[in-house]
């Protein structure tokens, strides 16, 4: 018997976000509610994105998911939480609109395929992009139009921030049910066109302590984390919002670095201690401070998430010189020509004065594996072209071209 056409097939993309005021620690593990608010910058999807296809069909006998071409366990609790939540919202909407054409979709199983265009566990916030994309795609396929913060958050807390472009705050909320723990845009991606982002990929290895486990340990053992959440973050959220609205780069840059440092301090204050930065990360920190000191101005900022890769913020007029400084301090390995990916950066000379100010002997080649140059970008997008679907009409991954 010929298979029925799928009821719906949707493909979307979603971005990576980088927190400048960090989220670390949950007050409710089940609902994924944070102990403090956080603020992030959404990166452009030309350089970093997750693409997800969801297909529903009466023919499917079970939910299935493929990540980067490999079938994964659909029973993972976080994945199940997302599916449950989106189906609950779809049911709620259907009850409000009886006789909705999508109503039959609720009894159908879903097949999902997702791919990242960057290394998954390299500490490049893949889970945020992945779960935001899942939530957004499932919402389209099930006809859900409400706020998706909760759906994405149940997968990965920071994923709710990837539901918007530009600059985004995740308001921690006060309610025990988490209904007011939502992501909101602070400023659109067009707001600060000169802002540039460089990702210095130090290591693409999987990290020793995953974020979920690390966070739980910090909440249980770090008094510094409690102090940070209650006494430091609220004022920093207000100040960071001001810096972004006024496009105050030195203010934005200094606060970004201080908040990254405090997050890593809470990791060291955790017992037993957690360390995500390695020797190369520390050299990058020193490089940034010396670069700024040489210019007598804060021209570059670093931030590190739960891993050794550096994310650098700067303005377009400083990118070329800073990349030259990185190349000097961290000579490329054998991939000299593939060292810089993403946006074009014109080669710039490194002045003798700056070279002396950096006072850094170049490391053995390959300390920084490569740099991804990008900028602030938009939120999730729907791809209208059916050829973009990762799953065929039979609901199975298309063979790689």
């Amino acid at each position: 018997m010929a298979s029925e056409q799928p009821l719906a097939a949707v493909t979307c993309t979603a971005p990576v976000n980088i927190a400048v005021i960090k989220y670390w620690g949950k007050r409710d593990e089940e609902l994924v509610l944070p102990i403090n608010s956080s603020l992030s910058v959404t990166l452009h999807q030309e350089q970093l994105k997750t693409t997800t296809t969801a297909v529903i069909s009466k023919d499917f006998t079970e939910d299935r998911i493929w990540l980067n071409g490999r079938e994964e366990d659909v029973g993972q609790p976080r994945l199940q939480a997302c599916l449950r939540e989106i189906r609950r919202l779809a049911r709620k909407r259907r009850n409000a609109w009886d006789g909705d054409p999508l109503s039959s979709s609720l009894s159908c199983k879903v097949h999902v395929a997702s791919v990242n265009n960057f290394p998954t566990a390299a500490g490049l916030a893949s889970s945020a992009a992945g779960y935001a994309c899942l939530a957004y795609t499932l919402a389209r396929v099930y006809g859900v139009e409400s706020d998706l913060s909760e759906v994405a958050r149940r997968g990965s807390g920071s994923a709710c921030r990837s539901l918007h472009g530009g600059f985004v705050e995740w308001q921690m909320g006060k309610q025990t049910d988490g209904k007011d723990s939502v992501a909101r845009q602070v400023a659109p991606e067009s707001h600060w066109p000169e802002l540039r982002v460089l990702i210095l990929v130090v290591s693409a290895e999987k990290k020793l302590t995953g974020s979920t486990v690390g966070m739980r340990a910090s909440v249980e053992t770090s008094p510094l984390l409690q102090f940070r959440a209650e006494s430091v973050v609220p004022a920093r959220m207000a100040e960071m919002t001001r810096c972004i609205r006024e496009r105050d780069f030195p203010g934005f840059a200094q606060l970004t670095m201080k908040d990254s440092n405090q997050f890593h301090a809470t990791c060291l204050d955790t017992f037993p201690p957690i360390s995500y930065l390695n020797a190369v990360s520390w050299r990058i920190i020193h490089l940034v401070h010396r670069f700024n000191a040489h210019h007598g101005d804060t021209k570059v900022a670093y931030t590190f998430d739960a891993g050794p890769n550096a994310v650098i913020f700067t303005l377009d007029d400083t990118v070329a010189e800073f990349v030259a400084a990185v190349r000097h301090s961290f000579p490329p390995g054998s991939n000299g020509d593939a060292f810089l990916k993403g946006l074009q950066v014109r080669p710039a000379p490194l002045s003798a004065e700056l070279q002396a100010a950096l006072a850094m002997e170049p490391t053995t080649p390959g300390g920084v594996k490569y740099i991804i140059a990008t900028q602030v970008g938009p939120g999730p997008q729907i791809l209208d072209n059916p050829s973009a679907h990762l799953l065929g009409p039979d609901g199975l991954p298309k063979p790689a071209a």
Side-chain angles (χ1 to χ4, degrees):
M1 168 194 124
S3 164
E4 287 191 47
Q5 271 299 298
L7 282 173
V10 179
T11 298
C12 302
T13 65
V16 166
N17 74 75
I18 298 295
V20 288
I21 301 293
K22 302 294 190 192
Y23 149 57
W24 192 251
K26 302 176 183 71
R27 65 178 194 269
D28 185 313
E29 292 263 348
E30 170 72 13
L31 295 176
V32 192
L33 302 178
I35 60 169
N36 62 265
S37 296
S38 54
L39 204 152
S40 61
V41 179
T42 299
L43 304 187
H44 206 288
Q45 295 175 55
E46 294 240 311
Q47 284 75 44
L48 299 163
K49 69 175 174 208
T50 296
T51 304
T52 301
T53 297
V55 179
I56 45 180
S57 166
K58 290 191 179 71
D59 291 344
F60 299 163
T61 55
E62 56 183 351
D63 295 329
R64 294 176 73 182
I65 187 161
W66 290 264
L67 297 183
N68 293 314
R70 278 190 35 210
E71 185 158 13
E72 302 282 339
D73 172 20
V74 81
Q76 309 170 40
R78 292 181 158 207
L79 202 52
Q80 284 299 315
C82 282
L83 281 167
R84 258 199 320 276
E85 187 58 23
I86 205 84
R87 284 167 170 155
R88 183 185 70 76
L89 290 170
R91 251 191 309 280
K92 194 167 131 187
R93 181 170 181 269
R94 186 187 72 185
N95 294 340
W97 302 81
D98 223 21
D100 176 28
L102 278 168
S103 61
S104 57
S105 69
L106 274 173
S107 55
C108 288
K109 300 297 186 188
V110 66
H111 285 192
V112 176
S114 195
V115 296
N116 296 332
N117 67 349
F118 57 93
T120 304
L124 298 183
S126 58
S127 66
Y131 278 107
C133 205
L134 180 70
Y136 195 81
T137 309
L138 289 173
R140 295 299 166 281
V141 91
Y142 281 116
V144 169
E145 286 165 9
S146 46
D147 185 292
L148 299 175
S149 289
E150 184 164 5
V151 186
R153 202 186 68 220
R154 296 292 287 271
S156 173
S158 53
C160 65
R161 299 189 309 242
S162 278
L163 291 169
H164 303 279
F167 302 83
V168 183
E169 68 171 326
W170 174 13
Q171 300 165 353
M172 64 180 282
K174 295 275 181 280
Q175 293 167 215
T176 49
D177 65 2
K179 294 296 176 213
D180 58 348
S181 186
V182 293
R184 292 281 177 263
Q185 190 180 69
V186 172
E189 59 269 23
S190 56
H191 172 70
W192 200 345
E194 303 80 13
L195 195 64
R196 293 290 177 274
V197 184
L198 299 170
I199 301 169
L200 276 49
V201 177
V202 169
S203 153
E205 266 75 86
K206 239 177 144 61
K207 50 198 176 211
L208 282 173
T209 312
S211 305
T212 306
V213 174
M215 255 181 228
R216 195 176 301 135
S218 296
V219 168
E220 288 167 5
T221 64
S222 169
L224 180 57
L225 185 68
Q226 299 307 322
F227 174 76
R228 163 180 167 73
E230 290 163 20
S231 307
V232 181
V233 171
R236 284 187 172 179
M237 287 291 293
E239 174 65 4
M240 186 61 86
T241 302
R242 179 197 68 76
C243 291
I244 289 166
R245 292 220 162 109
E246 296 176 10
R247 293 185 280 270
D248 167 4
F249 185 78
F252 169 85
Q254 286 174 36
L255 192 51
T256 293
M257 293 187 278
K258 287 177 179 176
D259 205 70
S260 175
N261 294 341
Q262 188 175 82
F263 154 53
H264 288 280
T266 65
C267 291
L268 273 184
D269 190 48
T270 301
F271 196 80
I274 304 169
S275 172
Y276 287 115
L277 306 181
N278 64 19
V280 178
S281 314
W282 277 103
R283 282 183 63 100
I284 294 167
I285 289 171
H286 295 310
L287 172 69
V288 168
H289 286 291
R290 287 173 187 171
F291 186 95
N292 287 336
H294 168 73
H295 285 288
D297 193 8
T298 309
K299 286 182 156 291
V300 182
Y302 53 78
T303 186
F304 295 82
D305 284 329
N309 297 329
V311 177
I312 301 290
F313 289 98
T314 187
L315 298 177
D316 56 354
D317 60 4
T318 308
V319 172
E321 187 184 28
F322 186 73
V323 167
V326 173
R327 271 186 189 273
H328 166 74
S329 306
F330 303 96
S334 52
N335 66 334
D337 50 343
F339 185 62
L340 189 63
K341 305 170 190 283
L343 298 178
Q344 291 276 299
V345 177
R346 56 182 174 77
L350 193 63
S351 71
E353 297 81 26
L354 177 53
Q355 201 163 318
L358 294 178
M360 293 175 88
E361 286 305 310
T363 54
T364 48
V368 171
K369 296 197 166 35
Y370 55 91
I371 301 175
I372 302 170
T374 184
Q375 57 193 336
V376 186
Q381 311 281 312
I382 300 178
L383 302 182
D384 288 325
N385 185 350
S387 69
H389 291 333
L390 303 171
L391 296 169
D394 60 357
L396 297 174
K398 290 182 180 173

